[in-house]
PDB file of all heavy atoms in Angstrom:
ATOM      1  N   LEU T1071     -24.589   7.022  -5.888  1.00  0.00           N
ATOM      2  CA  LEU T1071     -25.811   6.222  -6.062  1.00  0.00           C
ATOM      3  C   LEU T1071     -27.053   7.090  -5.895  1.00  0.00           C
ATOM      4  O   LEU T1071     -28.022   6.958  -6.649  1.00  0.00           O
ATOM      5  CB  LEU T1071     -25.837   5.065  -5.055  1.00  0.00           C
ATOM      6  CG  LEU T1071     -24.788   3.965  -5.261  1.00  0.00           C
ATOM      7  CD1 LEU T1071     -24.740   3.032  -4.049  1.00  0.00           C
ATOM      8  CD2 LEU T1071     -25.069   3.160  -6.527  1.00  0.00           C
ATOM      9  N   ASN T1072     -27.015   7.989  -4.919  1.00  0.00           N
ATOM     10  CA  ASN T1072     -28.158   8.889  -4.694  1.00  0.00           C
ATOM     11  C   ASN T1072     -28.444   9.731  -5.932  1.00  0.00           C
ATOM     12  O   ASN T1072     -29.591  10.007  -6.262  1.00  0.00           O
ATOM     13  CB  ASN T1072     -27.898   9.791  -3.489  1.00  0.00           C
ATOM     14  CG  ASN T1072     -28.074   9.044  -2.168  1.00  0.00           C
ATOM     15  OD1 ASN T1072     -28.869   8.103  -2.081  1.00  0.00           O
ATOM     16  ND2 ASN T1072     -27.328   9.449  -1.158  1.00  0.00           N
ATOM     17  N   LYS T1073     -27.375  10.121  -6.622  1.00  0.00           N
ATOM     18  CA  LYS T1073     -27.532  10.918  -7.844  1.00  0.00           C
ATOM     19  C   LYS T1073     -28.011  10.033  -9.002  1.00  0.00           C
ATOM     20  O   LYS T1073     -28.987  10.349  -9.678  1.00  0.00           O
ATOM     21  CB  LYS T1073     -26.166  11.519  -8.216  1.00  0.00           C
ATOM     22  CG  LYS T1073     -26.224  13.039  -8.358  1.00  0.00           C
ATOM     23  CD  LYS T1073     -24.880  13.607  -8.773  1.00  0.00           C
ATOM     24  CE  LYS T1073     -23.955  13.775  -7.564  1.00  0.00           C
ATOM     25  NZ  LYS T1073     -22.529  13.598  -7.874  1.00  0.00           N
ATOM     26  N   ASP T1074     -27.322   8.899  -9.212  1.00  0.00           N
ATOM     27  CA  ASP T1074     -27.580   8.069 -10.397  1.00  0.00           C
ATOM     28  C   ASP T1074     -28.926   7.330 -10.353  1.00  0.00           C
ATOM     29  O   ASP T1074     -29.467   6.975 -11.391  1.00  0.00           O
ATOM     30  CB  ASP T1074     -26.463   7.033 -10.580  1.00  0.00           C
ATOM     31  CG  ASP T1074     -25.113   7.684 -10.850  1.00  0.00           C
ATOM     32  OD1 ASP T1074     -25.074   8.924 -11.038  1.00  0.00           O
ATOM     33  OD2 ASP T1074     -24.092   6.966 -10.863  1.00  0.00           O
ATOM     34  N   TYR T1075     -29.445   7.062  -9.150  1.00  0.00           N
ATOM     35  CA  TYR T1075     -30.662   6.241  -9.032  1.00  0.00           C
ATOM     36  C   TYR T1075     -31.881   7.020  -8.529  1.00  0.00           C
ATOM     37  O   TYR T1075     -32.906   6.406  -8.197  1.00  0.00           O
ATOM     38  CB  TYR T1075     -30.388   5.012  -8.155  1.00  0.00           C
ATOM     39  CG  TYR T1075     -29.530   4.013  -8.890  1.00  0.00           C
ATOM     40  CD1 TYR T1075     -28.146   4.075  -8.816  1.00  0.00           C
ATOM     41  CD2 TYR T1075     -30.101   3.048  -9.709  1.00  0.00           C
ATOM     42  CE1 TYR T1075     -27.343   3.194  -9.523  1.00  0.00           C
ATOM     43  CE2 TYR T1075     -29.319   2.157 -10.419  1.00  0.00           C
ATOM     44  CZ  TYR T1075     -27.937   2.233 -10.318  1.00  0.00           C
ATOM     45  OH  TYR T1075     -27.164   1.355 -11.026  1.00  0.00           O
ATOM     46  N   GLU T1076     -31.773   8.326  -8.522  1.00  0.00           N
ATOM     47  CA  GLU T1076     -32.912   9.180  -8.135  1.00  0.00           C
ATOM     48  C   GLU T1076     -34.145   8.799  -8.969  1.00  0.00           C
ATOM     49  O   GLU T1076     -34.063   8.762 -10.206  1.00  0.00           O
ATOM     50  CB  GLU T1076     -32.505  10.642  -8.384  1.00  0.00           C
ATOM     51  CG  GLU T1076     -33.611  11.649  -8.218  1.00  0.00           C
ATOM     52  CD  GLU T1076     -33.841  11.994  -6.749  1.00  0.00           C
ATOM     53  OE1 GLU T1076     -32.940  12.612  -6.165  1.00  0.00           O
ATOM     54  OE2 GLU T1076     -34.914  11.645  -6.225  1.00  0.00           O
ATOM     55  N   GLY T1077     -35.240   8.488  -8.325  1.00  0.00           N
ATOM     56  CA  GLY T1077     -36.490   8.182  -9.033  1.00  0.00           C
ATOM     57  C   GLY T1077     -36.546   6.798  -9.681  1.00  0.00           C
ATOM     58  O   GLY T1077     -37.556   6.434 -10.274  1.00  0.00           O
ATOM     59  N   LYS T1078     -35.456   6.010  -9.582  1.00  0.00           N
ATOM     60  CA  LYS T1078     -35.430   4.697 -10.257  1.00  0.00           C
ATOM     61  C   LYS T1078     -35.821   3.535  -9.340  1.00  0.00           C
ATOM     62  O   LYS T1078     -35.916   2.397  -9.793  1.00  0.00           O
ATOM     63  CB  LYS T1078     -34.035   4.432 -10.835  1.00  0.00           C
ATOM     64  CG  LYS T1078     -33.688   5.365 -11.980  1.00  0.00           C
ATOM     65  CD  LYS T1078     -32.355   4.994 -12.597  1.00  0.00           C
ATOM     66  CE  LYS T1078     -32.085   5.771 -13.863  1.00  0.00           C
ATOM     67  NZ  LYS T1078     -30.692   5.622 -14.313  1.00  0.00           N
ATOM     68  N   ARG T1079     -36.015   3.808  -8.070  1.00  0.00           N
ATOM     69  CA  ARG T1079     -36.398   2.781  -7.086  1.00  0.00           C
ATOM     70  C   ARG T1079     -35.592   1.490  -7.267  1.00  0.00           C
ATOM     71  O   ARG T1079     -36.153   0.417  -7.508  1.00  0.00           O
ATOM     72  CB  ARG T1079     -37.896   2.513  -7.187  1.00  0.00           C
ATOM     73  CG  ARG T1079     -38.709   3.776  -6.838  1.00  0.00           C
ATOM     74  CD  ARG T1079     -40.144   3.681  -7.263  1.00  0.00           C
ATOM     75  NE  ARG T1079     -40.860   2.660  -6.535  1.00  0.00           N
ATOM     76  CZ  ARG T1079     -41.667   2.868  -5.497  1.00  0.00           C
ATOM     77  NH1 ARG T1079     -41.878   4.068  -5.060  1.00  0.00           N
ATOM     78  NH2 ARG T1079     -42.270   1.862  -4.912  1.00  0.00           N
ATOM     79  N   PRO T1080     -34.260   1.589  -7.156  1.00  0.00           N
ATOM     80  CA  PRO T1080     -33.409   0.423  -7.405  1.00  0.00           C
ATOM     81  C   PRO T1080     -33.614  -0.687  -6.373  1.00  0.00           C
ATOM     82  O   PRO T1080     -34.082  -0.445  -5.259  1.00  0.00           O
ATOM     83  CB  PRO T1080     -31.986   0.988  -7.284  1.00  0.00           C
ATOM     84  CG  PRO T1080     -32.122   2.169  -6.400  1.00  0.00           C
ATOM     85  CD  PRO T1080     -33.468   2.760  -6.738  1.00  0.00           C
ATOM     86  N   LEU T1081     -33.213  -1.904  -6.808  1.00  0.00           N
ATOM     87  CA  LEU T1081     -33.181  -3.061  -5.910  1.00  0.00           C
ATOM     88  C   LEU T1081     -31.718  -3.427  -5.678  1.00  0.00           C
ATOM     89  O   LEU T1081     -30.989  -3.733  -6.627  1.00  0.00           O
ATOM     90  CB  LEU T1081     -33.910  -4.239  -6.558  1.00  0.00           C
ATOM     91  CG  LEU T1081     -33.783  -5.582  -5.832  1.00  0.00           C
ATOM     92  CD1 LEU T1081     -34.468  -5.536  -4.465  1.00  0.00           C
ATOM     93  CD2 LEU T1081     -34.356  -6.712  -6.676  1.00  0.00           C
ATOM     94  N   PHE T1082     -31.267  -3.354  -4.441  1.00  0.00           N
ATOM     95  CA  PHE T1082     -29.906  -3.757  -4.094  1.00  0.00           C
ATOM     96  C   PHE T1082     -29.922  -5.228  -3.694  1.00  0.00           C
ATOM     97  O   PHE T1082     -30.830  -5.673  -2.990  1.00  0.00           O
ATOM     98  CB  PHE T1082     -29.375  -2.897  -2.940  1.00  0.00           C
ATOM     99  CG  PHE T1082     -29.049  -1.489  -3.367  1.00  0.00           C
ATOM    100  CD1 PHE T1082     -30.044  -0.522  -3.466  1.00  0.00           C
ATOM    101  CD2 PHE T1082     -27.753  -1.136  -3.711  1.00  0.00           C
ATOM    102  CE1 PHE T1082     -29.758   0.772  -3.899  1.00  0.00           C
ATOM    103  CE2 PHE T1082     -27.448   0.146  -4.144  1.00  0.00           C
ATOM    104  CZ  PHE T1082     -28.454   1.103  -4.235  1.00  0.00           C
ATOM    105  N   ILE T1083     -28.912  -5.967  -4.169  1.00  0.00           N
ATOM    106  CA  ILE T1083     -28.763  -7.371  -3.766  1.00  0.00           C
ATOM    107  C   ILE T1083     -27.425  -7.509  -3.055  1.00  0.00           C
ATOM    108  O   ILE T1083     -26.362  -7.383  -3.676  1.00  0.00           O
ATOM    109  CB  ILE T1083     -28.783  -8.322  -4.983  1.00  0.00           C
ATOM    110  CG1 ILE T1083     -30.058  -8.149  -5.806  1.00  0.00           C
ATOM    111  CG2 ILE T1083     -28.640  -9.770  -4.514  1.00  0.00           C
ATOM    112  CD1 ILE T1083     -30.097  -9.018  -7.069  1.00  0.00           C
ATOM    113  N   ALA T1084     -27.464  -7.735  -1.751  1.00  0.00           N
ATOM    114  CA  ALA T1084     -26.229  -7.891  -0.979  1.00  0.00           C
ATOM    115  C   ALA T1084     -25.855  -9.365  -0.935  1.00  0.00           C
ATOM    116  O   ALA T1084     -26.707 -10.227  -0.722  1.00  0.00           O
ATOM    117  CB  ALA T1084     -26.424  -7.342   0.425  1.00  0.00           C
ATOM    118  N   ILE T1085     -24.574  -9.641  -1.165  1.00  0.00           N
ATOM    119  CA  ILE T1085     -24.090 -11.022  -1.166  1.00  0.00           C
ATOM    120  C   ILE T1085     -23.546 -11.370   0.220  1.00  0.00           C
ATOM    121  O   ILE T1085     -22.495 -10.870   0.633  1.00  0.00           O
ATOM    122  CB  ILE T1085     -22.951 -11.225  -2.211  1.00  0.00           C
ATOM    123  CG1 ILE T1085     -23.248 -10.523  -3.540  1.00  0.00           C
ATOM    124  CG2 ILE T1085     -22.634 -12.706  -2.379  1.00  0.00           C
ATOM    125  CD1 ILE T1085     -24.251 -11.180  -4.414  1.00  0.00           C
TER     126      ILE T1085
END
Side-chain angles (χ1 to χ4, degrees):
L1071 292 169
N1072 284 330
K1073 235 182 278 148
D1074 296 352
Y1075 287 89
E1076 172 81 68
K1078 292 185 171 168
R1079 297 165 66 100
L1081 171 66
F1082 287 82
I1083 303 177
I1085 318 284

